[in-house]
Amino acid sequence: MNNLQNKIVTLIPSATEIVAFLGEKDSIVGCSHECDYPKDLDKVIKLTSPKINIDGTSSEINKEIKGLLENSLSVYKVDAEKLKNLDPDFIVTQAHCEVCAVSFAEVKNVVSKYLGSKSKIISLEPNTLNDVFNDIRRVATTLNIDNKISSKLIGNLELRLKNIKDLVFIQKRKPSVICIEWIDPLMVAGNWIPEMVEIAGGNDVLGRSGNNSHWIKFNEIKDYDPEIIIFLPCGFDIKKTKKELTSYLKKNSKWSLLKAFKNDKLFIVDGNQFFNRPGPRLIESTEILAEIIHPSVFNFKHKQTGWIKFNMM
C-alpha cells in the first residue's frame, strides 16, 4: 500500500469514494462539503461551500447556477487558507462539470498561488463506465498503490456488472426507459447512465451514452412515450426528489397522458448517493436499475433505500 504519510485532499464525493475504495481513506485530510461516504468522515476538514441555496427547488437552483455561470463564476468556492494549511501531497478533483464541484481552473489557481509544485493534482473526467474504471486505475497508480491490489478491486466491480449482463442476456425484451436528471427545466441523463440502463436490460431512448446530459422538452418525452421513467436529479436524495416531483406533476397534468404514468411505472432513485457520483458505487446504481427494469429477475435489496416507486399520494 501507499505510504500513509501522504496527505490527500478530495474535492468531489466521487474522488473521496475512489480514494477510500483503494484503501487510502485514512490519508484523506480534507474534502468537499458534499463528501459523506464512507460515513466516518466527520473529522475530515471541509474545504468547499456552495454559492447557491441548495435547499431551493430545481427551478430556483437552475436560475442561480445559470446566473453564476453566465458571469463566469464558479458555483462553489474553496477555502484557500485551509487548503494551504493542510499542504497536501495530492488533490483529487474533476474537470467534468462546472456545476458538480469547484471549477478545475480555480483549483489550479489556488495550487499555483499557495502550494506550488509540491501538491499534485489528479483530475477526473469520466464520461463512460470504462472511463470511471480508468480513473480508478490512474488514481491508484499516482498514489503508488500496488497494481495487483487495484486490479483485483476493479475486477470485482467488473464481475458484478458481468453477472447482471449475463442474466439480462436471456431476457426477451428491453423496456423503453427515460432517465430524468433535472426536473425543472427538464434534463435527460447522459454520460454513463444510458450505458448502465442497457446493462440493466433497458433501452434508454433519449440519453446519449458517453455524452453530457442535455435539456429536453416534454413533447420529446411524449413522442417516445417510454414504458419506464426514472427520476435521478443531480444532488437530490429520494425525499427531496419526491417532494419536488409531486409539486411539479400537479402543475403539469399532461404527464398523466404518458404510458409510464398510466401503468404506474414512475420511479425515483437516490441520484445524490449513487447515479451522480462516477465512482465504485455506480455498480450499486446499475443494480438499482436492474431491480426497476426487471423486478422479476433482480433483487439486490436496494428498494426503499436506493429507489422507490413514485405515486402522488
Side-chain angles (χ1 to χ4, degrees):
M1 296 295 287
N2 181 41
N3 187 337
L4 291 179
Q5 290 182 346
N6 278 334
K7 294 184 292 183
I8 303 171
V9 159
T10 53
L11 295 179
I12 189 170
S14 58
T16 300
E17 296 188 22
I18 288 172
V19 171
F21 174 72
L22 291 169
E24 293 294 327
K25 182 187 67 177
D26 292 340
S27 296
I28 299 174
V29 294
C31 63
S32 84
H33 66 284
E34 294 181 308
C35 294
D36 56 8
Y37 186 90
K39 299 298 182 182
D40 50 348
L41 293 169
D42 295 343
K43 296 181 180 179
V44 176
I45 295 173
K46 301 297 189 259
L47 295 169
T48 68
S49 59
K51 297 178 182 178
I52 59 173
N53 175 21
I54 59 174
D55 294 322
T57 66
S58 58
S59 178
E60 292 166 345
I61 291 172
N62 178 69
K63 288 177 182 177
E64 287 193 62
I65 290 175
K66 187 177 180 181
L68 287 169
L69 296 181
E70 284 177 349
N71 289 286
S72 301
L73 298 173
S74 173
V75 178
Y76 301 91
K77 55 186 176 182
V78 60
D79 191 320
E81 194 62 32
K82 285 184 179 179
L83 183 58
K84 177 184 176 182
N85 291 337
L86 286 175
D87 192 28
D89 300 292
F90 299 97
I91 299 173
V92 191
T93 186
Q94 60 93 41
H96 172 73
C97 174
E98 291 289 302
V99 177
C100 296
V102 177
S103 73
F104 183 59
E106 184 171 346
V107 174
K108 287 200 300 182
N109 287 338
V110 170
V111 170
S112 175
K113 183 176 181 179
Y114 294 103
L115 300 172
S117 59
K118 178 185 180 298
S119 297
K120 181 175 180 59
I121 300 175
I122 308 172
S123 180
L124 311 177
E125 197 171 354
N127 290 300
T128 66
L129 283 176
N130 192 54
D131 290 342
V132 174
F133 293 142
N134 285 336
D135 274 344
I136 296 173
R137 291 186 180 96
R138 187 158 52 86
V139 171
T141 299
T142 306
L143 298 181
N144 297 316
I145 293 171
D146 190 301
N147 182 60
K148 291 182 180 179
I149 294 174
S150 59
S151 295
K152 182 177 180 179
L153 289 169
I154 295 169
N156 288 338
L157 298 180
E158 293 174 328
L159 179 61
R160 289 168 65 188
L161 284 181
K162 181 180 182 300
N163 290 338
I164 296 174
K165 290 179 182 178
D166 289 345
L167 283 174
V168 162
F169 182 75
I170 61 177
Q171 302 308 306
K172 294 182 179 179
R173 59 183 302 275
K174 290 187 173 185
S176 56
V177 179
I178 287 179
C179 295
I180 304 295
E181 190 168 299
W182 202 250
I183 296 173
D184 188 12
L186 288 167
M187 174 183 278
V188 67
N191 299 306
W192 46 86
I193 301 295
E195 181 183 0
M196 288 160 51
V197 170
E198 182 177 356
I199 291 172
N203 176 28
D204 191 325
V205 294
L206 271 178
R208 302 168 184 168
S209 185
N211 291 300
N212 290 338
S213 303
H214 61 278
W215 303 111
I216 58 168
K217 300 295 185 181
F218 172 78
N219 283 343
E220 295 177 73
I221 298 176
K222 183 181 177 183
D223 289 343
Y224 282 98
D225 200 11
E227 296 169 75
I228 297 171
I229 300 178
I230 301 170
F231 295 87
L232 40 89
C234 188
F236 284 20
D237 61 16
I238 290 175
K239 182 179 178 181
K240 184 172 177 63
T241 301
K242 183 176 181 180
K243 180 180 179 181
E244 176 89 6
L245 187 57
T246 299
S247 175
Y248 178 78
L249 293 185
K250 284 180 178 178
K251 299 174 185 175
N252 296 272
S253 59
K254 54 190 176 183
W255 281 74
S256 63
L257 302 174
L258 297 175
K259 184 188 305 180
F261 190 101
K262 294 176 181 177
N263 295 335
D264 198 22
K265 292 290 185 179
L266 302 183
F267 299 90
I268 293 173
V269 302
D270 191 333
N272 178 50
Q273 283 296 316
F274 296 103
F275 295 81
N276 312 145
R277 300 185 180 192
R281 288 199 295 164
L282 285 186
I283 310 305
E284 279 89 337
S285 306
T286 310
E287 292 174 349
I288 288 170
L289 290 173
E291 288 183 338
I292 290 173
I293 297 169
H294 291 290
S296 63
V297 179
F298 297 100
N299 182 13
F300 296 102
K301 303 188 184 304
H302 294 303
K303 190 174 183 179
Q304 301 306 323
T305 55
W307 67 275
I308 62 170
K309 178 176 283 191
F310 173 78
N311 60 67
M312 297 288 286
M313 302 300 292

